Amino acid sequence: MFVDCKSYANEILAKAKGRPGALAIIQVGDDPRSDVYVRGKERDCEKVGIDCNVFKLPRNADIFEIEGLIDQLNSDREYTGIIVQLPLPTYMPEDHICQRIALSKDVDGFNPQSDFHPCTPEGIVWLLKQLHGSLDGAEAVIVGRGKLVGAPLQKMLLDQNATVTACHSHTRNLKEHTKWADIVILATGKHMFDQSYFRTSLGRQTVIDAGITFDETGRLCGDLITEQIDHSNMNVTPVPGGVGLLTRAVLVAHTGGVNLI
């Protein structure tokens, strides 16, 4: 069955309700998809009473302009959280710019030294704890090794005493790994996983789809080919309406000073 991630996201948002905080979102240029993501963050902040202001820079803004804005926001006590909406124009070094944000205000958790975990992995671990109770000894497979999801998620699950196997799309006999695991987290950005990757017996699996891609029709989808999945033996997060909602909720919680893990 599909996991009701909207309800879980609302639980996270409730933890930030009434807490003081303000979020600054820096957006460079006009991108329709980025606009959608930003509006979602604004709505979530409004739900819990956290101020949210968007600082828009033109697409041809230079690096010094965005650096100056970040420095200004770092020193502004009103803002408890600052994020840079990605993607940035190709000439801007994303890591350099995002890591200029003060560690105490890096609510996206992009800097390894940040006061906060990256939002998507934290939301996933929190959700898994709601679904499983304890992750102690659970067999988890992560398919994906990206720096924003796969890599930090591996450490966070190990910290919960799960047994973690890190895989990727080139792993030999990948299906043997994914069929064995109690928990499978997909974060490849490749719309390729059908029922042949998962159990038909041996107990129920939890499958977290953290992949984001678009099919040949331009429809937003995840790593799972959901039409080819038998949900009777699986708990599955949908795309859209799944991990993305949790990510946004964790961002707002961080802005209110709440860590979930």
Side-chain angles (χ1 to χ4, degrees):
M1 67 177 183
F2 281 119
V3 177
D4 184 2
C5 289
K6 184 175 181 179
S7 293
Y8 285 112
N10 285 334
E11 284 188 39
I12 296 172
L13 289 173
K15 297 177 184 296
K17 193 166 187 177
R19 295 182 65 91
L23 177 65
I25 302 175
I26 300 172
Q27 187 177 8
V28 181
D30 291 313
D31 179 274
R33 289 175 185 167
S34 289
D35 289 342
V36 170
Y37 297 144
V38 168
R39 285 196 295 271
K41 292 166 185 173
E42 289 179 302
R43 286 195 300 271
D44 283 350
C45 285
E46 185 178 3
K47 284 180 184 177
V48 302
I50 285 178
D51 291 334
C52 180
N53 292 309
V54 181
F55 296 82
K56 284 201 172 189
L57 298 177
R59 187 161 188 81
N60 62 353
D62 61 37
I63 294 174
F64 298 109
E65 193 171 354
I66 192 170
E67 287 179 338
L69 177 56
I70 290 172
D71 290 345
Q72 175 186 336
L73 294 169
N74 280 340
S75 60
D76 189 333
R77 293 185 179 181
E78 175 186 355
Y79 291 102
T80 54
I82 305 168
I83 66 168
V84 176
Q85 182 63 42
L86 301 179
L88 289 171
T90 54
Y91 66 88
M92 286 190 173
E94 290 183 352
D95 285 351
H96 168 77
I97 288 172
C98 290
Q99 291 185 15
R100 196 176 185 93
I101 296 171
L103 298 179
S104 62
K105 298 187 178 189
D106 177 27
V107 287
D108 255 335
F110 279 155
N111 191 320
Q113 305 303 316
S114 173
D115 290 0
F116 303 96
H117 292 300
C119 293
T120 299
E122 183 170 345
I124 290 171
V125 173
W126 182 86
L127 175 64
L128 289 172
K129 291 180 74 173
Q130 310 314 301
L131 296 175
H132 290 260
S134 171
L135 299 179
D136 197 310
E139 296 278 352
V141 164
I142 303 170
V143 189
R145 50 189 170 179
K147 63 183 179 180
L148 297 183
V149 179
L153 185 56
Q154 182 179 354
K155 181 182 184 304
M156 292 175 69
L157 286 172
L158 287 171
D159 288 344
Q160 297 294 319
N161 294 320
T163 300
V164 182
T165 302
C167 299
H168 45 80
S169 58
H170 295 279
T171 298
R172 293 178 183 176
N173 303 317
L174 178 58
K175 293 180 181 180
E176 293 182 12
H177 294 285
T178 53
K179 285 180 178 180
W180 177 255
D182 304 310
I183 298 164
V184 180
I185 300 109
L186 303 174
T188 68
K190 296 182 179 181
H191 190 54
M192 59 177 274
F193 293 89
D194 58 21
Q195 186 60 48
S196 66
Y197 285 87
F198 305 103
R199 294 177 182 172
T200 54
S201 58
L202 299 177
R204 197 171 189 85
Q205 279 184 299
T206 297
V207 181
I208 306 294
D209 191 350
I212 295 292
T213 188
F214 296 87
D215 65 15
E216 61 277 0
T217 68
R219 178 180 64 97
L220 176 67
C221 56
D223 287 358
L224 275 176
I225 306 175
T226 52
E227 311 86 69
Q228 300 177 20
I229 295 296
D230 177 8
H231 292 73
S232 64
N233 199 42
M234 298 164 65
N235 296 316
V236 179
T237 59
V239 177
V243 169
L245 298 181
L246 299 174
T247 299
R248 282 187 357 220
V250 173
L251 175 73
V252 174
H254 285 173
T255 304
V258 178
N259 280 304
L260 302 176
I261 305 297

